[in-house]
Amino acid sequence: MSPQTWVPVPEGSDFPITNLPYGVFRGTNGRRIGVAIGEHILDLAGVAERGLLDGPTKALRTATLNDFMASGRAQWLRVRADVIEMLTDESRRGRVEPLLVRQDAVSMCLPFDVADYVDFYSSKEHATNVGKIFRPDAAALPPNWSHLPIGYHGRAGTVVVSGTDIVRPCGQRKAAVDAAPTYGPSQRLDIEAEVGFVVGVPSSLGERVSTAGFADHVFGVVLVNDWSARDIQAWEYVPLGPFLGKSFATSISPWVVPLAALAGARVAGPVQDPVPLDYLADADPWSLDLVLEVAWNGTVVSRPPFASMYWTAGQQLAHLSVNGASLRTGDLYASGTVSGPARDQFGSFLELSWGGTQPVELGAGVLRTFLEDGDSVVLRASAPGLDGTRIGFGEVVGTVLPARTGSG
Amino acid sequence: MSPQTWVPVPEGSDFPITNLPYGVFRGTNGRRIGVAIGEHILDLAGVAERGLLDGPTKALRTATLNDFMASGRAQWLRVRADVIEMLTDESRRGRVEPLLVRQDAVSMCLPFDVADYVDFYSSKEHATNVGKIFRPDAAALPPNWSHLPIGYHGRAGTVVVSGTDIVRPCGQRKAAVDAAPTYGPSQRLDIEAEVGFVVGVPSSLGERVSTAGFADHVFGVVLVNDWSARDIQAWEYVPLGPFLGKSFATSISPWVVPLAALAGARVAGPVQDPVPLDYLADADPWSLDLVLEVAWNGTVVSRPPFASMYWTAGQQLAHLSVNGASLRTGDLYASGTVSGPARDQFGSFLELSWGGTQPVELGAGVLRTFLEDGDSVVLRASAPGLDGTRIGFGEVVGTVLPARTGSG
């Protein structure tokens, strides 16, 4: 049973005392690190300034989570324990309560400076669906898919926080039936519902991080919407992979849920056949029982299940560093689109509309294949927290603005 | 005719008074910004500290070039003019000479914090060669190649400065004849000789930068060795592009040659057929008459000519931002391997050895296909400077260390 917090937490809140995700809010004192609790944020910089935390706190008095994330697991757990104590011990309420800020009174910032951004492709259902849609004449899954977690680097500089509007990208595209490519606003603007892992502790160049090293290096988890322009992507991606079809924007949740809060969501990892090579082996393979939710203009169109992803976050980390590539604090790696086997579990509109051929009904007779200007998408996720609670990630919200058309 | 500098500059130096590239050196006072002149470095931080430069100089008293690169073209040109004056006016010699540091007395650091790293694929000869070697059963050039500068994001965190040793990467690979993939040290470790462009002035999310905007955003040019593990790459790259085959290391020259120093190297841009879409049009298409040099264990095996690259640096910038992707200070984008039509102009060992089938002779009967442990590679480049001078980029040096084999 969790300790009771003296902070009022509404029934069904994403942020009970068992969650305590970290974020950066902009209030009257500029950008500050905070921890979500119910409808409030505990101003952690204020807590540090007033000497209410033991140990070194300089890393908490900055404008991003990076220094704190770099400080290592022992420090993460110590600060978490201190915050729990502060928010549950009634005798501390008098000094702590003035440091609570209402979430609706501030705006949220990008929680950390993104170092490198890697996007994987680890849902077998998603990869199969995309293969069938993009490459109808070939095998749905490429031959390497079952042997390694396929991934690629995305643009770190265009990772934005939830709430950032998404300008419809322009670019070059050519359908198979077109004689020549054309330039213009993307006509197949899409989303990808993903789960992202944030590296705290760096590694050295030439050093491998094993699956067992995951807990020492990874600080926490965010939700990710990897916006995708399918027409641009389809024309550009052979042979060097997605580029402009993805690089215009990737939205993340403002809250980073620490691994400690997800202990109750751990489930057995997927069965893998063929057995992966030893460098991808995991003595204790695990996944997370997260269920995502995709709302399109307010209508929930999908609930992708993360637990069934084929490649695990530990394997993704071991793979991306197996060649000696170093990790930096702020590295973000995303799971790839989370899709389950059922249509109402698909994590992209490409799949939900099956390449634009089967419109999605948003209620009141409104049909959609891809995003129209003014559309908004909200991603949410829910997971079992500790002690029978339910925790969430907040929302990843984005609204599509019309393309800025210039000379083509 | 250039003004004469009072600094002794050896005949044939990469760094005459018409060059003046920027770098970061580590001396007795830590990391400092400097300008190369002959065999010396002018300690620009020291110049700033002693009040020998007009205007704001805080950006020069940091450990990277980023702040100075962000300060904009007017400031770049002002500082350059001041440095030229300082190094040519005999009356200033007494105060400036104590700020010269011998290059062989210090070590060079990564000159700037790399934001995003993009690698293009803009040599028609290279793309054709790779297509023939990697995809012998398909058309050598993919259908999009002549319509857009193909590129992808690489790992920014593993961009290292010249002189950094390269640990042979391990990873997963599978040749067509193999029944299953295996794990181990790369057996086809390669280089790619490239030219990199460094962004100084950022742009906003949703904003396009046109070909004409190049000179306002791009600060300067570096040499790039994009180390590549061909066996890892060949197995992983379909469908999302190169990942671990490239992400273990990318070496750059310690010196960033400012665009102003390359005015004498500008030549007409390539003839492009088909005519590119308007967003890639350039009123004054240009390239740079750089000739690269690849030395393998001391033997020059290739002299790739940059002037003949099909897509220009201005077009690459316009393409990478056409979807509204923002630029950040420190973004690095590389040309892709520079290869000319002749075999002794190929910029990779993959091409020089034609997929490992035609060994390269390094003299004294030594034959090579790909890199062996202990091998070293040195890239250099030469270009016409102003006033009939010749300028260089210094060297990009790397030595291969044995793989750190662990459990496979």
Side-chain angles (χ1 to χ4, degrees), chain B residues 92-115:
Chain B
R92 301 191 68 178
R93 181 169 181 170
R95 295 212 291 168
V96 174
E97 198 160 21
L99 297 166
L100 290 181
V101 180
R102 280 198 61 86
Q103 288 171 23
D104 57 15
V106 299
S107 61
M108 297 303 298
C109 305
L110 195 66
F112 56 95
D113 287 337
V114 181

Side-chain angles (χ1 to χ4, degrees), chain A residues 192-216:
Chain A
E192 294 192 333
E194 309 195 16
V195 174
F197 295 82
V198 187
V199 171
V201 175
S203 66
S204 303
L205 191 66
E207 174 189 342
R208 282 172 50 186
V209 176
S210 69
T211 54
F214 176 87
D216 286 326

Side-chain angles (χ1 to χ4, degrees), chain A residues 116 144 147 153 155-157 170 172 181 183 206 208 235 238 244 247-248 278-279 319 323 326 331 404 407-408, chain B residues 116 144 147 153 155-157 170 172 181 183 206 208 235 238 244 247-248 278-279 319-320 323 326 331 404 407-408:
Chain A
D116 271 299
N144 52 4
H147 295 280
H153 285 92
R155 191 164 184 83
C170 291
Q172 189 174 139
Y183 169 88
R208 282 172 50 186
W235 171 231
V238 176
L244 295 172
S247 65
F248 55 98
D278 283 354
Y279 81 92
H319 186 64
N323 65 349
S326 46
D331 280 350
R404 296 184 190 166
S407 61
Chain B
D116 271 300
N144 53 4
H147 295 280
H153 285 92
R155 191 163 185 84
C170 290
Q172 190 175 139
Y183 168 88
R208 283 171 49 185
W235 171 230
V238 176
L244 294 172
S247 65
F248 55 97
D278 283 355
Y279 82 91
H319 186 64
L320 82 79
N323 65 349
S326 45
D331 281 350
R404 297 185 190 164
S407 61

Side-chain angles (χ1 to χ4, degrees), chain B residues 109-292:
Chain B
C109 305
L110 195 66
F112 56 95
D113 287 337
V114 181
D116 271 300
Y117 166 47
V118 166
D119 194 19
F120 284 96
Y121 189 58
S122 291
S123 157
K124 192 172 215 166
E125 291 78 10
H126 171 71
T128 303
N129 290 338
V130 169
K132 288 179 183 171
I133 295 167
F134 268 29
R135 298 175 286 275
D137 302 327
L141 281 183
N144 53 4
W145 197 93
S146 303
H147 295 280
L148 55 85
I150 293 174
Y152 69 102
H153 285 92
R155 191 163 185 84
T158 52
V159 175
V160 297
V161 71
S162 171
T164 306
D165 288 332
I166 305 302
V167 177
R168 180 181 297 275
C170 290
Q172 190 175 139
R173 62 274 159 101
K174 177 185 170 300
V177 297
D178 297 336
T182 56
Y183 168 88
S186 172
Q187 294 164 357
R188 303 189 128 212
L189 186 58
D190 195 2
I191 63 144
E192 294 194 332
E194 309 197 15
V195 175
F197 295 83
V198 187
V199 171
V201 175
S203 66
S204 304
L205 192 65
E207 173 190 342
R208 283 171 49 185
V209 175
S210 69
T211 54
F214 176 87
D216 287 326
H217 287 277
V218 173
F219 173 75
V221 181
V222 291
L223 287 186
V224 178
N225 185 347
D226 189 37
W227 304 90
S228 300
R230 300 301 180 187
D231 41 359
I232 296 171
Q233 181 186 353
W235 171 230
E236 77 179 355
Y237 88 102
V238 176
L240 300 187
F243 184 36
L244 294 172
K246 302 278 195 170
S247 65
F248 55 97
T250 304
S251 301
I252 66 172
S253 57
W255 298 109
V256 185
V257 175
L259 289 184
L262 291 162
R266 281 175 76 109
V267 291
V271 174
Q272 295 179 322
D273 179 22
V275 174
L277 287 166
D278 283 355
Y279 82 91
L280 292 169
D282 195 333
D284 177 23
W286 57 275
S287 187
L288 293 171
D289 181 19
L290 307 182
V291 176
L292 281 62

Side-chain angles (χ1 to χ4, degrees), chain A residues 11-374:
Chain A
E11 181 74 24
S13 168
D14 277 351
F15 309 120
I17 187 74
T18 51
N19 192 348
L20 301 177
Y22 294 88
V24 173
F25 65 99
R26 184 184 285 109
T28 47
N29 293 320
R31 288 198 293 166
R32 290 167 86 85
I33 292 175
V35 171
I37 175 76
E39 296 173 314
H40 290 84
I41 300 169
L42 176 64
D43 175 356
L44 211 51
V47 167
E49 283 158 10
R50 298 193 187 191
L52 302 178
L53 277 172
D54 294 332
T57 60
K58 189 178 166 200
L60 297 172
R61 289 176 282 120
T62 69
T64 71
L65 294 177
N66 293 62
D67 288 352
F68 177 56
M69 297 197 306
S71 66
R73 183 149 69 135
Q75 176 72 352
W76 306 336
L77 294 177
R78 198 185 62 72
V79 169
R80 180 172 171 86
D82 280 359
V83 168
I84 290 174
E85 205 248 316
M86 237 176 277
L87 296 177
T88 55
D89 183 348
E90 187 69 34
S91 74
R92 301 191 70 177
R93 180 169 182 169
R95 294 210 293 168
V96 175
E97 196 160 21
L99 296 166
L100 290 181
V101 180
R102 280 198 63 86
Q103 287 172 24
D104 57 13
V106 298
S107 61
M108 297 304 296
C109 306
L110 195 65
F112 57 94
D113 288 336
V114 181
D116 271 299
Y117 167 47
V118 166
D119 194 19
F120 284 97
Y121 189 57
S122 290
S123 157
K124 192 171 214 167
E125 291 77 11
H126 171 71
T128 303
N129 290 338
V130 170
K132 287 180 183 170
I133 295 168
F134 268 29
R135 298 176 286 275
D137 301 328
L141 281 184
N144 52 4
W145 197 93
S146 303
H147 295 280
L148 56 83
I150 294 175
Y152 69 102
H153 285 92
R155 191 164 184 83
T158 52
V159 175
V160 297
V161 71
S162 171
T164 306
D165 289 332
I166 305 302
V167 177
R168 181 181 296 275
C170 291
Q172 189 174 139
R173 60 276 159 101
K174 177 184 170 301
V177 296
D178 298 336
T182 57
Y183 169 88
S186 171
Q187 294 164 357
R188 302 189 128 210
L189 186 58
D190 195 1
I191 64 144
E192 294 192 333
E194 309 195 16
V195 174
F197 295 82
V198 187
V199 171
V201 175
S203 66
S204 303
L205 191 66
E207 174 189 342
R208 282 172 50 186
V209 176
S210 69
T211 54
F214 176 87
D216 286 326
H217 286 277
V218 173
F219 173 77
V221 181
V222 293
L223 287 187
V224 178
N225 185 346
D226 189 37
W227 304 89
S228 300
R230 300 299 182 189
D231 41 358
I232 296 171
Q233 180 186 353
W235 171 231
E236 76 179 356
Y237 88 103
V238 176
L240 299 188
F243 183 36
L244 295 172
K246 303 278 195 170
S247 65
F248 55 98
T250 304
S251 300
I252 66 171
S253 57
W255 298 110
V256 184
V257 175
L259 289 184
L262 290 163
R266 282 175 76 109
V267 291
V271 174
Q272 297 179 322
D273 179 21
V275 174
L277 287 167
D278 283 354
Y279 81 92
L280 292 169
D282 195 333
D284 177 24
W286 57 275
S287 187
L288 293 171
D289 182 21
L290 307 182
V291 176
L292 281 62
E293 180 183 288
V294 180
W296 192 346
N297 293 346
T299 297
V300 173
V301 294
S302 178
R303 289 195 169 83
F306 182 76
S308 63
M309 298 291 280
Y310 189 86
W311 295 103
T312 71
Q315 291 175 318
Q316 290 167 339
L317 189 69
H319 186 64
L320 82 77
S321 67
V322 69
N323 65 349
S326 46
L327 306 176
R328 288 184 295 170
T329 300
D331 280 350
L332 169 68
Y333 68 95
S335 59
T337 308
V338 181
S339 288
R343 184 177 171 188
D344 63 2
Q345 295 178 317
F346 293 171
S348 71
F349 301 154
L350 177 75
E351 295 163 86
L352 283 168
S353 73
W354 206 255
T357 62
Q358 299 174 22
V360 178
E361 184 164 347
L362 301 186
V366 175
L367 296 175
R368 283 282 190 284
T369 49
F370 294 98
L371 287 158
E372 300 192 2
D373 291 347

